[in-house]
Amino acid sequence: MTDATMTITREPMPPGDRRSSRRPGPWHAALWIAPAAAVIVFVFAYALYQLVIQSFKYKSEWTGWDNFRIVVTDPLFRTALKHNMELLLCVPVLIAVALLLAIVLSETIRGHTFFRGVLFFPYILPVTVVGVVLGQLLTLNGPVNTALNGMGLGKFAADWLGDPNIALWTMGGVIVWKEVGFGIVLFLARILSLPNETYEAAALDGAGFWRKHWSITLPQMTGVIAFYAVTEAIVMVSWVFNYVYIMTNGQGGPGDSTVVTELYIYRSAFQNQQIELAAAAAVILFLITLFLVVIFFRLQRKSLLAVVGE
Amino acid sequence: MRKTIKAAALLGVAALTLAACSSGSGGGTTSPSASGGSTAASPMATGPVTLTMHWWGDQEAPGAKKWLDAAITAYQTAHPNITIKETLETTDGLIPNFEAAAAAKTPLDIQYFWGGIYAQQPHWNGNTAAISDFISADELAHYTNAQMEDSYQGKIVSAPWYVNPSFPVLVNKDLLAKNGLTVPMTWTDFLKTCDTLSAKGIPTIAGGVKDGWFGGWLYSLLGAQSLTSQKQVLDAVVGNAKFTDPALGDWWTRLEESQKHKCWNSDINSQELYQAQQLFVDQKAAMTVTAGPDAPNFATKAGGPDKIEVMAMPAWSDGPLAGKIASSSQTLGIPSWSEHKAEAADFIKFLHTPEQLQAWYDMTGSLPADDRFDLTQVTDPIKKSLFAGGSDNVPYMENFIPAQLDSDAVFKNVQLVLKGSETGAAAAADMQAQMERLRTTDRDLVTNFTNWASGQ
C-alpha cells in the first residue's frame, strides 16, 4: 500500500476535495513512465547523440561543420532533398482521393464492407511486394502499357520507370496508391461518428451531395485531415526509401531522377563507406522531420482544444 | 500517430545503425598496414577452427557452388580440425553486407570481392589484410591479374580466384544471316547492322540498365578502346587528366550514336541486365553481352558454337585495347578482424592446387585465375576465344575508377544517354563534374588512388 492511499484512508476529505487529494504526485507518473523512458533513452537518445557527434567528426577527429558543408554543397544531396519536397505534392492528392473515397463509402449501403476491404488492402501489403509487382507491371513492354495499347489508348503508354522525366511521379503514384487506404480508414471513421441529424436537416432544406459534404462534413474534419496531412508529409520526407530502393534496384534512377534523401544516406553509409557524411545528412533529415512532428503536435493540440471548447 | 511512430522508429533505427557503424568502424579509419592479427609466420591452429566464408555463388559461373562444396569437403578431410561455413551474397548485398560485417566485426574469415577497386577499397578502409602477408610471392605470381588489379604499395590485397573475361559480346550469326548481314567487326559496320535490323523491328543488341551494372560494362567495352593503359584512368581520377579529354570521354559519343541508330532494345531502361539477355536467348536480338565465366553456358543455351560467335565489342578506335576482351579476376580476401587468417590463406592456396584448378574447369567450364592451369586441353572454340582474352592482361577499366564514380556518373549517365535524354558530351561533362565532387566528398580518394597509380 502506498503512502498516498494510506493518507486517504486515515483522513477522509470533504467530498469536494476528494478528487484533488487522490491525484498522484509527479513522482508517481514518472515511475510509470520510467521503463518506457529508459528503453527510449537507450534505443533512441543514445543513438541520436552518437549520430550527432559522428556528424561533426572525420576519422574520429573533430572537424566542426565540415561534413555538413560537404553535404549541403553536394548537388546530389540537394537533388535528393528536392525530390522529397516534390513528393510532398502527393499529400494534397492523397487527402483529396482519400476524402472523396471515404465520403462515397460512407454513402454506400450495399457492399460497403467489401469496398472498404479492397481500398484498404494496398496499405497492408509489404512495400517489397508492391515495389516488385508494380516494377514489373510498369516496364515499357509490361502489362500496363500492353493493356493501354490493347484498348486503343497507346498514346497514354509511357516508360513509367525508365523515363527520367516521369519516373519520380510514377513513384509518387505508387506511394499514393499504397498510402491512400490509411486516409480512407481515418476519414471514414470520423465521418461515421458525425451526428446524422445535421445531414437530415440539410436534406430537408434541399442540400445536394456536394453541398452537404462541403458545408457539413469538411468543416468537422479539419483535425483528422491535419493529422493525416502531417503524417503523410513525414512519409514523403523520411519514409520512401523502400519504394525507391525496390523499384530502382537501389539506384534512384534513371539518372538521379528518383534519388531521395534516405537513399543518399544509405548509399553514403553502406556503399561509399562515408559514415560521417551519412551522419550529417541523417541529422539534417532528422531536423526536417522533427519540424514536421512539431507542426503535427501543434495541430493536434489546437484540435483538442477546439473539441474541449465545444 | 502510427505513422509518426513509424517515422520516429525509422529515424531511430537509422541513427542506431549509423551510430553502431560509426563507433564500430574503427577499422574504417585504420591504415591498411595496421590490419594486424596473425602474420605470415602464424602457425596453423591445431585445435578446432571454424572458417566463415561469404561469397557470390553461381551468379556468373554456374557450377561454382558445387565445386566449392566439393573443395570444402576435400579440405576438411585433409584438415579434420577445420570446418568451413559458407554464406551466399546477392549482387546488391555483396558490398553493403561486408561493410556491415566490418562495422560489427561479425566473424568472417574469407570474403569474395570483385577485382580492382572492389578489392582495393576495403583494404584502404582497413577492413582486409594483405593476402601477400600470408601467401608467398612465388605462389601469388601465378595468380592471374593479381599484380595488375590487386597490388597496392608492394602488397597483394586479395587473391584472384577465377578469371572474368570482361565482357564478351555474343553474336547470333544465324539471325544476322537471315537478314543478309555478317558479324560486324567495326563500329561503322555495327551501326549499319543497327539501321538494318531496327528497320525490321529487331534490336541489334540486348541489354538492361535499370540496375545500373550494365552501364559499367559498357564503360569498359567502349571506353577502353581509345586508351593505352589503366594509368590514364587513374590519372583522371586524381585530377591529372579529365574525363572530358578525347581519349577518356569520346566513348560517350559512341554510346549516343548507338542510341540514335536504335541499336538497343527499346525497354533497356526498364529492364535489369539479366532480364534483357533473355531476348538474345529467345532469338529476338542479334547480339548481347554477358559475364565471361557464364558465356560458354549462355552460348550453348542460345544455340551453341555453330550458331553463336563470341567476340570483343566492335572497334570504334585503333587504340591498342580496341577489339580485345579485357581480363579481370574475381578474388578472395581475408578480413582484417579475422581470427584465423593463416587458416583462411591456407584454404585459398588449396583452391589453387592442380586438382582444384582442373575441377573448377570441369565443373564450371570457366577459366581459373592461375597460369598453372593447362590451357591446351581447351578445344571448344568459344572457350578458346574467351580464355585467350582472359589471359591477355588487358585491363578492365571499370575496376580502376572509384566505385562511387561508377554508380554516380557511369550508371546514371548511361541510363540517360540510352534514353535519349542526354548527349554524349553532356555525359562526359557530368562524369568529370562527379569526379571533382568525389574528390571533395571522399577526402582520402586522391591519396589512395595516387598510391595505387604509382604501382601501375
Side-chain angles (χ1 to χ4, degrees):
Chain A
M1 187 179 285
T2 65
D3 288 347
T5 318
M6 289 170 70
T7 306
I8 292 165
T9 312
R10 285 175 192 164
E11 296 175 19
M13 291 286 171
D17 293 335
R18 179 171 288 178
R19 210 170 150 184
S20 58
S21 67
R22 289 176 71 179
R23 185 178 296 159
W27 60 270
H28 197 263
L31 189 69
W32 282 104
I33 296 169
V39 171
I40 288 169
V41 167
F42 178 73
V43 174
F44 293 107
Y46 174 72
L48 195 59
Y49 166 76
Q50 282 293 335
L51 180 77
V52 173
I53 294 295
Q54 188 63 40
S55 69
F56 286 102
K57 287 183 172 181
Y58 180 64
K59 290 192 170 181
S60 306
E61 285 181 16
W62 193 264
T63 55
W65 295 96
D66 265 13
N67 294 324
F68 288 93
R69 183 182 51 75
I70 291 171
V71 166
V72 297
T73 55
D74 185 350
L76 187 60
F77 178 75
R78 293 206 295 255
T79 301
L81 208 51
K82 180 172 150 266
H83 289 158
N84 282 114
M85 295 305 124
E86 286 173 353
L87 283 175
L88 283 176
L89 293 175
C90 293
V91 175
V93 176
L94 270 169
I95 293 170
V97 173
L99 202 50
L100 185 64
L101 290 172
I103 289 171
V104 170
L105 274 179
S106 70
E107 302 230 349
T108 306
I109 297 167
R110 291 188 65 183
H112 64 276
T113 313
F114 170 75
F115 290 121
R116 275 181 220 177
V118 167
L119 291 169
F120 191 64
F121 184 64
Y123 187 69
I124 59 170
L125 287 175
V127 176
T128 41
V129 173
V130 170
V132 169
V133 172
L134 287 177
Q136 293 303 312
L137 291 175
L138 294 167
T139 56
L140 183 64
N141 297 322
V144 170
N145 283 343
T146 306
L148 286 172
N149 287 322
M151 291 187 290
L153 299 170
K155 64 179 176 180
F156 294 111
D159 197 354
W160 302 104
L161 291 167
D163 184 342
N165 297 316
I166 59 171
L168 186 70
W169 301 117
T170 304
M171 200 75 70
V174 172
I175 297 170
V176 167
W177 176 76
K178 172 131 173 44
E179 294 288 326
V180 77
F182 179 56
I184 293 170
V185 168
L186 275 180
F187 294 162
L188 191 60
R190 178 66 180 133
I191 291 170
L192 293 178
S193 72
L194 297 176
N196 212 26
E197 294 80 1
T198 331
Y199 290 100
E200 287 168 359
L204 285 174
D205 287 344
F209 176 88
W210 293 110
R211 182 69 179 165
K212 268 196 305 181
H213 291 296
W214 183 260
S215 301
I216 301 172
T217 311
L218 270 183
Q220 298 185 79
M221 293 188 65
T222 48
V224 72
I225 290 173
F227 167 77
Y228 185 56
V230 176
T231 50
E232 288 305 327
I234 292 170
V235 167
M236 299 303 167
V237 170
S238 62
W239 199 250
V240 291
F241 172 82
N242 292 350
Y243 296 98
V244 175
Y245 189 87
I246 300 291
M247 295 180 79
T248 70
N249 295 75
Q251 296 300 315
D256 293 335
S257 62
T258 56
V259 173
V260 291
T261 316
E262 294 160 274
L263 186 67
Y264 177 91
I265 293 168
Y266 171 80
R267 279 164 57 168
S268 297
F270 300 110
Q271 288 182 355
N272 305 328
Q273 294 97 52
Q274 293 166 340
I275 294 290
E276 299 88 352
L277 297 185
V283 168
I284 293 170
L285 183 62
F286 171 74
L287 291 175
I288 293 170
T289 312
L290 190 65
F291 175 71
L292 291 171
V293 171
V294 168
I295 291 178
F296 162 64
F297 279 120
R298 278 176 174 256
L299 287 171
Q300 196 184 41
R301 189 162 172 267
K302 209 171 167 182
S303 180
L304 278 174
L305 287 174
V307 170
V308 171
E310 284 169 9
Chain B
M1 181 58 83
R2 193 174 152 202
K3 287 295 180 61
T4 313
I5 293 166
K6 275 165 68 177
L10 168 71
L11 286 163
V13 170
L16 192 63
T17 309
L18 285 169
C21 290
S22 61
S23 58
S25 64
T29 58
T30 311
S31 70
S33 57
S35 47
S38 30
T39 66
S42 302
M44 290 277 287
T46 50
V49 168
T50 298
L51 296 179
T52 305
M53 176 177 179
H54 287 190
W55 72 295
W56 201 29
D58 274 359
Q59 301 211 36
E60 61 179 7
K65 171 134 181 44
K66 199 173 158 192
W67 170 82
L68 186 64
D69 290 344
I72 287 172
T73 304
Y75 187 80
Q76 289 177 163
T77 306
H79 302 82
N81 64 320
I82 296 180
T83 305
I84 301 172
K85 288 182 180 172
E86 48 173 318
T87 301
L88 295 179
E89 297 282 1
T90 62
T91 304
D92 290 336
L94 191 68
I95 298 171
N97 289 350
F98 175 73
E99 291 302 323
K105 299 289 180 277
T106 309
L108 182 59
D109 306 289
I110 302 170
Q111 170 72 35
Y112 177 101
F113 294 108
W114 300 310
I117 184 63
Y118 294 99
Q120 295 278 352
Q121 189 74 53
H123 185 66
W124 299 345
N125 291 345
N127 289 334
T128 58
I131 199 83
S132 53
D133 284 348
F134 304 93
I135 296 178
S136 72
D138 286 347
E139 170 73 9
L140 285 170
H142 292 288
Y143 294 12
T144 313
N145 296 322
Q147 192 60 42
M148 181 172 74
E149 291 190 312
D150 308 316
S151 64
Y152 184 78
Q153 294 191 309
K155 296 200 171 190
I156 303 296
V157 300
S158 197
W161 176 7
Y162 62 90
V163 177
N164 182 15
S166 309
F167 281 91
V169 176
L170 273 60
V171 187
N172 186 328
K173 291 180 287 186
D174 274 11
L175 185 61
L176 288 178
K178 277 179 197 162
N179 290 282
L181 297 163
T182 55
V183 177
M185 301 305 289
T186 67
W187 191 251
T188 310
D189 289 344
F190 173 67
L191 294 181
K192 281 179 188 164
T193 304
C194 295
D195 293 339
T196 306
L197 291 180
S198 66
K200 298 177 180 181
I202 303 169
T204 298
I205 184 161
V209 292
K210 184 186 168 192
D211 49 353
W213 300 105
F214 189 51
W217 294 17
L218 287 172
Y219 167 56
S220 300
L221 292 169
L222 295 172
Q225 295 197 17
S226 50
L227 300 172
T228 53
S229 84
Q230 68 273 26
K231 184 81 166 46
Q232 287 171 279
V233 172
L234 295 173
D235 280 346
V237 170
V238 298
N240 295 332
K242 289 187 171 180
F243 283 103
T244 46
D245 293 345
L248 290 147
D250 274 2
W251 74 275
W252 285 108
T253 308
R254 304 286 89 75
L255 187 70
E256 184 187 352
E257 284 172 359
S258 72
Q259 190 272 333
K260 286 186 172 158
H261 285 261
K262 297 180 181 169
C263 296
W264 304 94
N265 43 307
S266 59
D267 59 352
I268 187 166
N269 261 290
S270 57
Q271 291 286 301
E272 291 169 24
L273 172 59
Y274 294 120
Q275 280 179 317
Q277 286 177 339
Q278 192 59 34
L279 282 174
F280 180 78
V281 177
D282 296 342
Q283 324 274 320
K284 289 177 181 168
M287 302 163 78
T288 195
V289 185
T290 192
D294 191 31
N297 301 320
F298 198 77
T300 304
K301 265 195 289 184
D306 294 341
K307 197 184 244 184
I308 306 301
E309 182 166 322
V310 171
M311 59 179 279
M313 192 73 175
W316 62 268
S317 156
D318 55 4
L321 304 180
K324 289 183 177 170
I325 294 176
S327 175
S328 174
S329 291
Q330 314 297 34
T331 72
L332 293 174
I334 300 178
S336 55
W337 67 95
S338 163
E339 292 178 0
H340 308 295
K341 295 188 181 72
E343 293 77 10
D346 191 63
F347 177 66
I348 291 171
K349 238 169 74 176
F350 173 77
L351 300 181
H352 282 261
T353 55
E355 299 76 28
Q356 293 306 323
L357 297 178
Q358 187 62 45
W360 169 268
Y361 174 69
D362 292 341
M363 289 194 193
T364 66
S366 66
L367 181 64
D370 196 306
D371 64 9
R372 290 168 293 195
F373 174 70
D374 179 15
L375 274 171
T376 59
Q377 66 182 294
V378 181
T379 53
D380 178 271
I382 288 177
K383 287 180 186 169
K384 276 181 93 167
S385 166
L386 271 174
F387 293 178
S391 311
D392 268 354
N393 285 334
V394 174
Y396 178 65
M397 294 306 172
E398 188 188 12
N399 284 352
F400 293 92
I401 59 171
Q404 194 178 352
L405 183 69
D406 206 12
S407 60
D408 288 3
V410 177
F411 292 7
K412 172 183 108 175
N413 287 301
V414 165
Q415 289 173 336
L416 296 177
V417 171
L418 288 177
K419 188 63 194 170
S421 306
E422 186 179 62
T423 65
D430 187 68
M431 187 167 179
Q432 176 60 23
Q434 294 296 337
M435 190 61 252
E436 285 164 15
R437 176 177 75 88
L438 292 193
R439 283 190 216 116
T440 310
T441 56
D442 184 346
R443 286 159 276 192
D444 294 327
L445 183 142
V446 172
T447 306
N448 287 330
F449 270 81
T450 303
N451 290 339
W452 191 15
S454 67
Q456 294 291 318

